[in-house]
Amino acid sequence: MDALDLARWQFGVTTVYHFLFVPLTIGLGVFVAGLQTAWHRTGKEHYLRLTKFFGKLFLINFAMGVVTGIVQEFQFGMNWSEYSVFVGDVFGAPLALEALLAFFLESTFIGLWIFGWDKLPKRIHLATIWAAVIGSNLSAYFILAANAWMKHPVGYEVVDGKARMTDLWAVLTNSTALAQVPHVIAAAFVVAGGFVLAVCGYNVLRERRADPGRAGQVRHGGTDIWRTPMRAALVMTAIAGAVVAGSGDLSAKLLHEQQPMKLAAAEGLERDTAGAPFSPVPGVEVPMLLSFLATNDPNAVIQGTEDLQTRFEKQFGPGDYRPNLPVVFWSFRVMITFGLSVAGLSVLGLWLTRKRRRDPRPPREIPAWFARVCLLALPLPTIAMIAGWLLSEIGRQPWTVQGELLTAASVSPGVSLTEVAISLAIFTALYGALALAEVVLLVRYVKAGPEPVAVTPPAPPSPRDSEDAGARLQPTLMY
């Protein structure tokens, strides 16, 4: 093991850890903004309670994401200086836009949202959370555009051993980015939907244990307070799941053109094959399905890892240009299996909680067994998303920039094995403590539940108002 191996481990550990918070922040922010919009439009108290309840969980997660995200930039200079030198001119623009435009927009309006309750007009206060949500999604776009450039570099030229950007618009509208952005953001909505479902399921079960006679029904104006966010999360998860599937299909077609080695590794295909089959699990094959998914032609040729290795040796020189094949192969299957499980859960939940048409009876009660199943919605989409990220990044190896810069040539030359080992140990311990703090805070506020909100009663009419009202009624009473 050398400094390169530990530097990769450190970047992997810190990135995956940071990635636990980013999707939930993106999706949960939209969910909270939707709840506040519902309160603004209807004036119903339970929407306000849910806004503040899920808003606290959103803020805890947002703060943790900010803290862990700062480390990412420092690693470029500490462990990956050669990479930073090569990509600096290209990455500078999207990362500057992310920090100076998107993140400042997000953080500024989140501050206004936090401290603006009962101080800003309702409409202005609602606009602050939507501005913060727009900022977080813009931030994701710029980061993903930079990441997409590593997989499919465009709009640049290499001058004196460095990539020099020639077309910012080409970088921001990279075909890989345009497929990757909706895929990742929709997956973030699935993660947030799973989080909300787990929170609702837990509270439904807890209230039923506390008061079996009421069967978990906490009603406010005839509305089950947990039914509302559960239904909303089910709808969000189902729609976002469909977007994930559609954008994933587009991404697979781009892999065939831009990163054929990753596609071959994900399928475990060793040799160029016409009418390549798709293998859901080892030993089971669906004839010609991979060729059809990758090209819309069931007879198309899909390149294999061993034949690509031979071609890459001729093109780039001696070396192993295959990624970690078992990790890429199984990450792909974990992503699909867990993602489909969450999509199926959302469809099932929508059916179970559907409202009877033209039926005066109350809506169907949430089954206890389904509330328990909802607890699985917390880890499943998160695991699926992390597996997808591992597939995306490990599948690109041994390149940091596809076809231009090898990972082995990206590491800082002056960093020793001991130095990276020390920083890796420190970050791992620190992130472990932060994870414990995150879990403790989330569990505490989930158990506390939505707090009651003070509703100011309307002021009693003055005697003068009563006289005026009586005078206005007199002509009416005459008729």
Side-chain angles (χ1 to χ4, degrees):
M1 183 174 289
D2 54 19
L4 171 62
D5 296 320
L6 282 187
R8 291 183 64 189
W9 268 104
Q10 179 172 305
F11 198 85
V13 168
T14 55
T15 302
V16 168
Y17 187 87
H18 175 62
F19 203 62
L20 292 173
F21 308 108
V22 172
L24 185 54
T25 296
I26 293 173
L28 196 55
V30 174
F31 190 81
V32 171
L35 288 173
Q36 187 168 346
T37 302
W39 172 63
H40 179 76
R41 291 176 62 88
T42 66
K44 294 181 179 179
E45 176 194 343
H46 72 280
Y47 283 125
L48 177 58
R49 295 185 65 192
L50 290 169
T51 299
K52 293 191 174 184
F53 171 70
F54 284 106
K56 289 178 183 178
L57 306 181
F58 163 71
L59 292 174
I60 293 170
N61 194 76
F62 172 79
M64 201 65 67
V66 171
V67 172
T68 57
I70 294 173
V71 176
Q72 304 304 106
E73 284 79 5
F74 283 111
Q75 286 190 92
F76 290 140
M78 293 188 299
N79 295 343
W80 304 99
S81 61
E82 292 298 314
Y83 166 81
S84 300
V85 169
F86 182 81
V87 305
D89 188 71
V90 176
F91 267 38
L95 292 185
L97 288 169
E98 189 275 334
L100 299 177
L101 174 62
F103 180 71
F104 279 11
L105 174 69
E106 179 185 19
S107 56
T108 298
F109 282 99
I110 278 183
L112 288 171
W113 185 74
I114 294 171
F115 299 106
W117 288 101
D118 302 323
K119 296 179 178 65
L120 295 174
K122 284 177 60 176
R123 185 172 298 179
I124 300 299
H125 188 258
L126 174 62
T128 61
I129 186 63
W130 279 112
V133 165
I134 291 171
S136 64
N137 282 269
L138 280 176
S139 179
Y141 179 85
F142 292 127
I143 293 294
L144 291 171
N147 177 264
W149 185 86
M150 297 165 63
K151 302 168 184 173
H152 180 227
V154 295
Y156 77 106
E157 61 182 0
V158 177
V159 180
D160 297 329
K162 304 175 185 178
R164 177 178 296 175
M165 185 169 61
T166 58
D167 189 345
L168 174 61
W169 184 247
V171 174
L172 296 179
T173 59
N174 188 345
S175 59
T176 302
L178 296 181
Q180 185 170 273
V181 168
H183 189 68
V184 173
I185 290 181
F189 289 163
V190 174
V191 170
F195 176 83
V196 173
L197 286 175
V199 170
C200 294
Y202 167 79
N203 279 283
V204 167
L205 292 173
R206 187 179 66 163
E207 289 170 4
R208 290 187 179 184
R209 286 193 298 267
D211 189 358
R214 295 180 63 194
Q217 300 296 315
V218 180
R219 297 191 174 277
H220 296 270
T223 302
D224 181 354
I225 196 170
W226 296 117
R227 185 185 186 84
T228 299
M230 179 175 282
R231 284 281 300 178
L234 289 169
V235 171
M236 182 172 74
T237 303
I239 295 175
V243 175
V244 169
S247 56
D249 177 69
L250 177 58
S251 296
K253 291 175 171 56
L254 291 174
L255 286 183
H256 173 67
E257 301 173 2
Q258 301 168 1
Q259 300 179 81
M261 181 67 84
K262 182 188 295 186
L263 179 64
E267 185 47 39
L269 190 69
E270 294 184 351
R271 298 297 177 184
D272 296 354
T273 304
F278 176 79
S279 176
V281 294
V284 178
E285 293 184 347
V286 181
M288 299 188 290
L289 182 57
L290 179 61
S291 292
F292 178 76
L293 292 175
T295 66
N296 290 331
D297 180 1
N299 298 309
V301 175
I302 304 298
Q303 301 178 78
T305 55
E306 299 306 315
D307 291 325
L308 283 167
Q309 169 68 19
T310 301
R311 296 186 190 104
F312 285 170
E313 284 182 344
K314 293 179 180 178
Q315 182 178 358
F316 301 109
D320 189 354
Y321 297 96
R322 294 164 297 188
N324 188 316
L325 299 179
V327 172
V328 175
F329 180 87
W330 286 109
S331 294
F332 180 53
R333 277 142 190 83
V334 169
M335 176 188 69
I336 291 179
T337 301
F338 284 25
L340 289 176
S341 299
V342 178
L345 175 64
S346 65
V347 174
L348 174 63
L350 288 172
W351 172 258
L352 291 173
T353 60
R354 70 192 186 280
K355 187 176 181 180
R356 303 179 179 93
R357 290 188 176 183
R358 299 178 182 178
D359 192 332
R361 291 178 297 173
R364 289 176 175 85
E365 180 183 300
I366 298 171
W369 65 266
F370 181 72
R372 294 189 184 94
V373 172
C374 283
L375 299 180
L376 296 175
L378 180 60
L380 290 182
T382 302
I383 294 173
M385 196 161 190
I386 290 176
W389 197 248
L390 292 176
L391 166 67
S392 177
E393 299 306 301
I394 295 178
R396 191 185 62 245
Q397 298 301 316
W399 303 98
T400 46
V401 180
Q402 184 74 32
E404 291 288 355
L405 183 66
L406 292 167
T407 304
S410 304
V411 70
S412 300
V415 176
S416 67
L417 176 65
T418 302
E419 290 171 332
V420 181
I422 292 173
S423 62
L424 174 58
I426 292 174
F427 281 132
T428 302
L430 177 62
Y431 278 19
L434 290 174
L436 179 61
E438 163 98 353
V439 171
V440 169
L441 287 172
L442 288 177
V443 169
R444 178 184 300 173
Y445 282 102
V446 168
K447 286 184 175 180
E451 297 179 356
V453 293
V455 179
T456 304
S462 64
R464 178 67 179 174
D465 293 336
S466 301
E467 294 176 3
D468 291 343
R472 289 193 297 270
L473 282 174
Q474 286 181 2
T476 306
L477 296 175
M478 290 175 61
Y479 293 95

